[in-house]
Amino acid sequence: MDLSFTPEERAFREEMRRFFRTEIPAEIREKAGKGEHVSKADLITTQQAMNKAGLATPHWPRAWGGRDWTPVQTYIWLDEMQTNSVPAPLAFNTSMVGPVIAEFGSEAQKQRFLPATANLDIWWCQGFSEPGAGSDLAGLRTSAVRDGDEWVVNGQKTWTTLAQHADWIFCLCRTDPNAAKKQQGISFILIDMKTPGITVRPIQTLDGGHEVNEVWFDEVRVPYENLVGEENKGWDYAKFLLGNERTGIARVGVSKARLLRLRELAKLERIGDKPLIEDRHFREKLTALEIELRALEMTQLRVVAGERDRPRGVPNPMSSILKLKGSEIQQATTELLMELVGPYAMPYHAGAEPEGDNDPQSIGPEYAAEAAPTYFNWRKISIYGGSNEIQRNILAKAILGF
Amino acid sequence: MDLSFTPEERAFREEMRRFFRTEIPAEIREKAGKGEHVSKADLITTQQAMNKAGLATPHWPRAWGGRDWTPVQTYIWLDEMQTNSVPAPLAFNTSMVGPVIAEFGSEAQKQRFLPATANLDIWWCQGFSEPGAGSDLAGLRTSAVRDGDEWVVNGQKTWTTLAQHADWIFCLCRTDPNAAKKQQGISFILIDMKTPGITVRPIQTLDGGHEVNEVWFDEVRVPYENLVGEENKGWDYAKFLLGNERTGIARVGVSKARLLRLRELAKLERIGDKPLIEDRHFREKLTALEIELRALEMTQLRVVAGERDRPRGVPNPMSSILKLKGSEIQQATTELLMELVGPYAMPYHAGAEPEGDNDPQSIGPEYAAEAAPTYFNWRKISIYGGSNEIQRNILAKAILGF
Amino acid sequence: MDFDLNDDQRLLKDSVERLITDKYGFDQRRANMAAPGGWSRTMWAQFAELGLLGLPFAEEHGGFGGGPVEAMIVAEAFGRGLVLEPYLATVILGGGLIRRAGDAATQASLLPQIASGELLLAFAHVEPQSRYELHNVATIARQDGARWRLEGDKGVVLHGDCANKILVTARTAGSTRDRTGIGLFLVDVPGEGVSVRGYPTQDGLRAAEVSLAGATGIPLGDPANALPAIERVVDEALAFLAAEAVGVMAAMHASTVDYMKQRKQFGRAIGDFQALQHRAVDMLVLLEQARSMALLATMMVAEDDPVERHKVAAAAKVQIGRSGRKLGQEAVQLHGGIGVTMEYMVGHYFKRMSMIEILFGDADTHLAQLAEGSGVLEAA
Amino acid sequence: MDFDLNDDQRLLKDSVERLITDKYGFDQRRANMAAPGGWSRTMWAQFAELGLLGLPFAEEHGGFGGGPVEAMIVAEAFGRGLVLEPYLATVILGGGLIRRAGDAATQASLLPQIASGELLLAFAHVEPQSRYELHNVATIARQDGARWRLEGDKGVVLHGDCANKILVTARTAGSTRDRTGIGLFLVDVPGEGVSVRGYPTQDGLRAAEVSLAGATGIPLGDPANALPAIERVVDEALAFLAAEAVGVMAAMHASTVDYMKQRKQFGRAIGDFQALQHRAVDMLVLLEQARSMALLATMMVAEDDPVERHKVAAAAKVQIGRSGRKLGQEAVQLHGGIGVTMEYMVGHYFKRMSMIEILFGDADTHLAQLAEGSGVLEAA
């Protein structure tokens, strides 16, 4: 048992840190660190810089830009990215559809999509959830019916993140309504968002932002060749996709950056006749959260180290612990920022909306503007990507054997 | 809406307070207030003093010593009793078997048992729980088979509180094993603890105390006339019994006395260079608990006031809230005392055991001796009398309609 | 001891609740929010008509002599409706300050105007450095002949952008955190040296930043010692907010329970899952404890002893703040995805609850202050 | 970065766990507790035979040169077994103090005696006024010719009633809470001026009150500045206790899950109830977070920088204390009635956990102290 990093691992960390701090524009990292809106252009700039350096898709197969890193290297890469407030490569591209195409797609699909996906030349969104199929994803009803060389797709997807930016959507569609189990009879289909019959309707989130959408399919005709892998095997690919790369889910680096920032801001904010950072109650709350985070960081490392001995693509149920605790800590940082800010958490800044045009810094201290929107918006963290209730069900079954 | 007490109610409170402070020996109240062991003799002394003044069984029918008080008066009586650390009349007698005999018993049973029960000349214990029937009480298996003028009882009861002191036990026994539902076919039978075939085995609780027992029945022959009410109707009487007088369950007065005591003790205990009471963290914890208790006191008053409009003997599901929150607060006071005491919570004082012979005051400060035993012992509060999980089930069904 | 409403109170409750049910649905509320100024003058006229705007005032001032229980009834109903109109700012805070600090003539002149709906008020106390301290006042009031002139910046003034008059705390003596030397001044808007910048708050209500550069202010009561009256009125506002919070929490809880009964996953209503049922029960306990504290605050807010009065008001704010946050987070969580959108009422309740947490001091602030004292229990 | 044990460590783990499984069942433990002095000399001899008593010492001192990972392995297994013997007192604290504060000759003389099982030690630092402060020392050491004489009262000395020598903190200069002027003295027992009153602790282990009335003490290291060595050893003890707590918690959790699968109510295993399953999951999260912190403390305890070392040891104590309390309470609750009796192991785990919470400072105490510093995160 050796709980320290090897010299090679430490050198690798230095390399990553240097890359992120010099090659990703400071203004993008600063915006992300403050919780401000990061634009589509910023995300593209970031991912293309990473892709150029071979750092956007390290976990892909080597032939398509992967790096064959150890789990620890992948962890370090992610940790440095998060700690330095670098927006991650678009997960829909690099963690979701990319690996699925690389594993199950045809050679033509790989050629056509993988380089563009890695470079964010194509922006993907995910068509999984439906109004009646959230936690119970297998209950989905969007249908794809074969008609000669085409699929005809009808139905509705929801919670489609950043669909307003997307060029393509990867969809789970029901292709055999008569299958014995509802997990069967589902196919994984790639659809160009410019196809006639697709309507995107924005859903405004609590903070006033526009991140998610409903996507409607009305007699949408899709080339048959856009099917990935085999017909009716979509559920297997979706499981593969969801099991992929789960260790980043704790977002330890993100929380670390936020906690360090909270400590700095608490020096600026005053309570009574002294800075807030000298208030014992506040310090104790902050410190208690830091302790939880250090423990979680270690839990994450244990999961990362365990990856070595696990079959690829099979999710480690321990990662559900990372999701549970990681979401609690992230949400707690937003509560602490609300408390830190005090009365100036109240003003609503239109500038907090993506593409808004107000100046969010004009009311109260600059750092106050993002407090409430982040608090409201981040309630989603314990809901999406498998709600915390679902994570508990997974742990009860897979680890405790109930 | 008038949220203050009437002058009559305030005068009544004064009367109760005066009675409890003058008529109940100070040394008994002091022992109870400190959480020290209160002996059988102390309990008898207290209850007999109360009975003499007509204050042991105010909620009984008037003919048998009841007082026809309003719910608010009953609440005040209880609140003053608890706040002044007066040991309550033995619940098995006055809240459980007494009201059942008064409501469903024969005239002969009333004559024979009620006066002696009120005066604690008979000490009752409760034979309900069994090893296989805890939360699921209706699953009980102790049998009573009629044999001429007698019942023959076989089986095992458990968690029988203070059975070692008891003269009589009231038992739920299965008298019709073929009944359609398991709640049917149960009878309510009174059994003299001196009857041959009864064995009492002590169960030692975590604090080292002896409060509960197993009671074994081996071919125990009981006069048929000791059946209360009708054969096979025992479940109804048990429900009546459990629904009786639930507002005291929050034990607000007990917690109030403990919190006031904690505040006093925190002046004696030192942390660093100052008294613990000046430690901000400790004060805030104490104050937060006081706030919860004030809210609970008000919740209790709301339930009490609502009693007026409810049928007698039907438990108000709101009283489950009193149990849930009341147990949390009581347990929190024990944690706070542990924290207050510090290292001197560690010594185990044999004197803390009932009838023990050591001097518990010889190690560390006097008030430290009860800290850990009470913390350990009071974990039971959220388990017995319908565990908190059962209370949640009741609320989910009865109030939320699930 | 009697928790029942009397006939008048029941009538009040029925009529306010009917108003909310009929006129404050999700879409109507959104329409009100889109109206100029962010709230509905039509609703305001209806409040006046129902007598709500004069509710706490004496009959001679066009009011109904309502007490804390009446205020509680209105607050709870407004909580359920997420009412946007400036009732707290104008009636509870503005009207309260005039009643508690103003002389007879001022009362006679202004209170009827509030009751009729003509006069809108706001209370400006927050400053960039003050956080939640009412006595933390850097704004200066200087005598200039017969007039007082004010100099300073006030922030997050509730409904400050619609007020005809703003009640401003300003220092006439002492240093920034002294408890004495604080005055309360009526400032006309618009007026010379007054600049008001309005904006929406996170819950869809309104507030403003107010800059005073030599603005004229008319003192309300003793210009050197207005703090006791201010603290009294803020305690009344805390009791009002506690009751409003109960309305908000009750609505969130009811919505959650309903949703759990309707929403199906894995072939059954999610309300069939025991783990979720128990969480709904824990929410119920939070709600009932909060309701109890709101009742207690209502009962004690008329208390003349400022220490006892404030103790309970502050304790209620702690209870409401903690219960409300937890309950609100659970309500959103149990609604799942739609809980974090603007399209479902529960999120709006959650946002209002979050702002109530902040108003006049969050739970930690009040707990810290209470902990300095001798506890909140009544000694035996 | 590698969480796997090496071959020697795996061997150690196997043999200690086998010992616990074979020799430390519920009934055997009860028998050990009933032995004279409250623990088993036979077990102690077996520990010596297995090399456990010399584990952390150099080979030249009869030891095995084990490091923090080896200590962690032993601690976790002892936690599962609820071991009663004075390992913490003698090997970790006593042996640690001799290694960190003693000169070469003392080490050469005493460490082999510990390793062989002949020498039992105890560490006396708590005083009636000290609470958890190691530097809060009122006991006085005075030079009397060539000898040091000690005067004062020490409380809750772990296994002080069986020790042949007690290591006593005493003040040679300064006032009660000064960080300097503290010495560490070896006191022989029995000895003139030493009175020891033993008693069981709440977890069934032993402790003693020790009175010193002119007792002779031999200084270990610098009599004016022993605190740094003491703090280092206490950090080692904290890491040990964290690992022991993980053993205790893991056992409580496993017992709870087993019980839930076996215990039937309402015609089904209580483990079928989803609300209880989710609570068992929350316990798992507490356990794994505690395990992570114990690992971190193990990793950092050999750190020479006392600030960084103590920070992690204290953070581990906070984590263990909070997780352990919550997990323990849930374990008892989910066991129902039998959880609060002496008849089932879970209650004994709960009691040991409660005492671990207290030893060398509870969670609140360490959190308060950590909060004075600059946080526990490593800056990027």
Side-chain angles (χ1 to χ4, degrees), chain B residues 1 283 299 302 308 393 400, chain C residues 4 261 278 288 292 371 373:
Chain B
M1 185 177 286
R283 286 181 87 105
T299 306
R302 290 166 51 208
R308 206 184 47 194
N393 287 346
L400 304 186
Chain C
D4 295 341
K261 290 176 181 170
H278 280 199
E288 295 304 333
S292 290

Side-chain angles (χ1 to χ4, degrees), chain B residues 13-302:
Chain B
R13 186 182 283 280
E14 270 314 308
E15 183 194 332
M16 290 297 117
R17 185 173 300 183
R18 201 171 42 242
F19 172 82
F20 287 126
R21 291 190 180 174
T22 56
E23 301 302 317
I24 308 300
E27 59 274 22
I28 294 179
R29 286 182 287 121
E30 205 167 299
K31 266 194 273 186
K34 289 180 182 171
E36 290 173 16
H37 175 65
V38 178
S39 70
K40 180 176 181 180
D42 291 338
L43 292 172
I44 293 174
T45 303
T46 304
Q47 184 161 338
Q48 292 186 344
M50 288 173 69
N51 195 40
K52 195 172 157 201
L55 296 178
T57 58
H59 47 294
W60 286 18
R62 202 164 177 78
W64 296 103
R67 301 291 295 265
D68 281 344
W69 283 344
T70 64
V72 173
Q73 281 178 301
T74 308
Y75 159 78
I76 291 171
W77 165 77
L78 196 66
D79 190 49
E80 283 300 319
M81 193 193 309
Q82 292 182 346
T83 310
N84 289 294
S85 303
V86 173
L90 191 67
F92 305 111
N93 286 34
T94 63
S95 301
M96 298 184 176
V97 76
V100 167
I101 293 174
E103 184 83 15
F104 306 105
S106 66
E107 190 56 30
Q109 286 171 336
K110 291 180 193 175
Q111 299 281 359
R112 176 173 179 193
F113 291 115
L114 288 181
T117 296
N119 206 45
L120 202 44
D121 297 329
I122 296 176
W123 185 298
W124 287 93
C125 65
Q126 181 193 48
F128 280 18
S129 292
E130 299 185 5
S135 291
D136 180 17
L137 185 57
L140 62 88
R141 294 191 300 192
T142 294
S143 67
V145 177
R146 185 158 182 184
D147 179 23
D149 279 354
E150 293 182 325
W151 295 104
V152 183
V153 179
N154 280 286
Q156 184 197 348
K157 297 291 178 180
T158 192
W159 312 127
T160 316
T161 302
L162 299 182
Q164 73 268 36
H165 297 333
D167 305 303
W168 281 75
I169 184 168
F170 53 96
C171 265
L172 291 180
C173 301
R174 192 158 298 281
T175 43
D176 177 3
N178 303 316
K181 289 177 62 184
K182 62 184 178 178
Q183 285 82 359
Q184 296 164 347
I186 292 171
S187 296
F188 193 108
I189 299 176
L190 313 177
I191 305 176
D192 187 332
M193 290 292 282
K194 290 185 298 296
T195 320
I198 297 182
T199 312
V200 175
R201 191 187 75 81
I203 301 175
Q204 204 180 18
T205 46
L206 273 189
D207 55 321
H210 174 200
E211 267 180 9
V212 287
N213 303 271
E214 288 178 344
V215 181
W216 299 78
F217 298 86
D218 179 20
E219 298 287 318
V220 174
R221 302 189 80 87
V222 181
Y224 181 78
E225 69 203 35
N226 288 10
L227 171 75
V228 174
E230 294 177 49
E231 258 181 59
N232 300 326
K233 289 282 175 68
W235 186 254
D236 295 340
Y237 311 149
K239 276 203 302 187
F240 170 87
L241 176 156
L242 295 170
N244 224 313
E245 214 242 309
R246 304 260 300 169
T247 49
I249 211 173
R251 303 223 309 167
V252 168
V254 171
S255 290
K256 195 192 281 185
R258 285 182 65 84
L259 284 171
L260 291 169
R261 187 169 139 80
L262 276 165
R263 199 170 268 280
E264 290 310 308
L265 295 178
K267 293 174 186 162
L268 304 178
E269 192 69 31
R270 292 187 73 78
I271 184 164
D273 55 1
K274 57 180 195 240
L276 184 60
I277 193 62
E278 290 175 21
D279 181 74
R280 179 170 164 197
H281 187 97
F282 185 83
R283 286 181 87 105
E284 288 189 355
K285 265 178 136 163
L286 185 60
T287 306
L289 204 49
E290 289 175 351
I291 292 172
E292 282 285 353
L293 184 65
R294 276 213 87 164
L296 184 63
E297 186 175 28
M298 202 70 191
T299 306
Q300 177 171 267
L301 281 169
R302 290 166 51 208

Side-chain angles (χ1 to χ4, degrees), chain D residues 152-291:
Chain D
D153 291 319
K154 295 287 180 177
V156 201
V157 179
L158 297 182
H159 282 105
D161 57 344
C162 64
N164 312 111
K165 291 177 189 292
I166 301 182
L167 292 136
V168 176
T169 57
R171 186 160 289 289
T172 56
S175 59
T176 306
R177 296 181 66 239
D178 285 354
R179 290 185 53 85
T180 56
I182 296 169
L184 188 62
F185 297 87
L186 270 166
V187 175
D188 282 321
V189 188
E192 216 190 297
V194 185
S195 99
V196 173
R197 196 153 51 101
Y199 50 81
T201 49
Q202 295 285 349
D203 49 6
L205 276 67
R206 302 285 304 181
E209 302 293 284
V210 176
S211 285
L212 303 158
T216 299
I218 297 166
L220 202 66
D222 182 352
N225 194 25
L227 193 61
I230 291 168
E231 290 184 333
R232 174 164 203 161
V233 172
V234 169
D235 284 344
E236 290 167 348
L238 288 174
F240 186 90
L241 282 170
E244 185 183 342
V246 168
V248 173
M249 290 167 74
M252 283 197 280
H253 186 245
S255 170
T256 304
V257 171
D258 279 356
Y259 184 77
M260 286 171 64
K261 290 176 181 171
Q262 285 157 25
R263 171 74 171 169
K264 291 205 163 40
Q265 294 275 279
F266 304 104
R268 48 208 273 228
I270 62 171
D272 289 350
F273 291 99
Q274 192 202 28
L276 306 191
Q277 286 183 7
H278 280 200
R279 284 164 66 179
V281 166
D282 289 340
M283 289 168 72
L284 173 70
V285 176
L286 293 169
L287 170 62
E288 294 305 333
Q289 285 284 90
R291 188 188 297 281

Side-chain angles (χ1 to χ4, degrees), chain A residues 9 14 29 61 70-71 99 104 118 123 136 139 190 201 227 252 256 260 279 284 303 307 333 352 357 371 401:
Chain A
E9 286 163 347
E14 270 314 307
R29 287 182 287 120
T70 65
F104 305 105
W123 185 297
D136 180 17
L190 312 177
R201 191 186 75 82
L227 172 75
V252 168
K256 194 191 283 186
L260 291 168
D279 182 73
E284 289 189 356
V303 175
E307 292 290 290
T333 67
D357 50 8

Side-chain angles (χ1 to χ4, degrees), chain A residues 1-6 9 17 21 72 83 256 259-260 263 280 283-284 287-288 290-299 301-302 305 308 318 321 324-325 329 389 392-393 395-396 399-402, chain D residues 1-6 9 69 72 253 257 260-261 271 274 277-278 280-282 284-285 288-289 291-293 295-296 299 312 315 318-319 322 367-368 370-380:
Chain A
M1 186 178 284
D2 179 359
L3 302 180
S4 50
F5 289 102
T6 63
E9 286 163 347
R17 185 173 301 184
R21 292 191 181 174
V72 173
T83 310
K256 194 191 283 186
L259 284 170
L260 291 168
R263 199 170 268 280
R280 180 169 163 198
R283 285 181 88 104
E284 289 189 356
T287 306
E290 290 176 350
I291 293 171
E292 283 286 355
L293 184 65
R294 274 212 89 163
L296 183 63
E297 185 175 29
M298 202 70 190
T299 305
L301 281 170
R302 289 166 53 208
R308 205 184 46 193
M318 283 287 285
I321 293 182
L324 278 177
K325 200 73 209 175
I329 292 175
E389 290 71 33
R392 286 193 179 88
N393 287 346
L395 287 165
I399 309 253
L400 305 185
F402 285 115
Chain D
M1 179 64 54
D2 169 16
F3 289 85
D4 295 341
L5 301 180
N6 65 30
Q9 289 165 343
V69 172
M72 180 186 78
H253 186 245
V257 171
M260 286 171 64
K261 290 176 181 171
Q274 192 202 28
Q277 286 183 7
H278 280 200
V281 166
D282 289 340
L284 173 70
V285 176
E288 294 305 333
Q289 285 284 90
R291 188 188 297 281
S292 290
M293 261 334 236
L295 277 165
L296 189 62
M299 183 167 115
V312 172
V318 174
Q319 179 75 40
R322 294 189 161 187
L367 180 61
L370 278 172
E372 307 244 306
S374 56
V376 299
L377 297 180
E378 296 164 294

Side-chain angles (χ1 to χ4, degrees), chain D residues 330-345:
Chain D
E330 285 287 89
V332 169
Q333 181 72 22
L334 294 175
H335 277 81
I338 60 158
V340 289
T341 73
M342 293 280 216
E343 310 197 346
Y344 214 77
M345 195 68 160

Side-chain angles (χ1 to χ4, degrees), chain A residues 67 311 343:
Chain A
R67 302 291 296 263

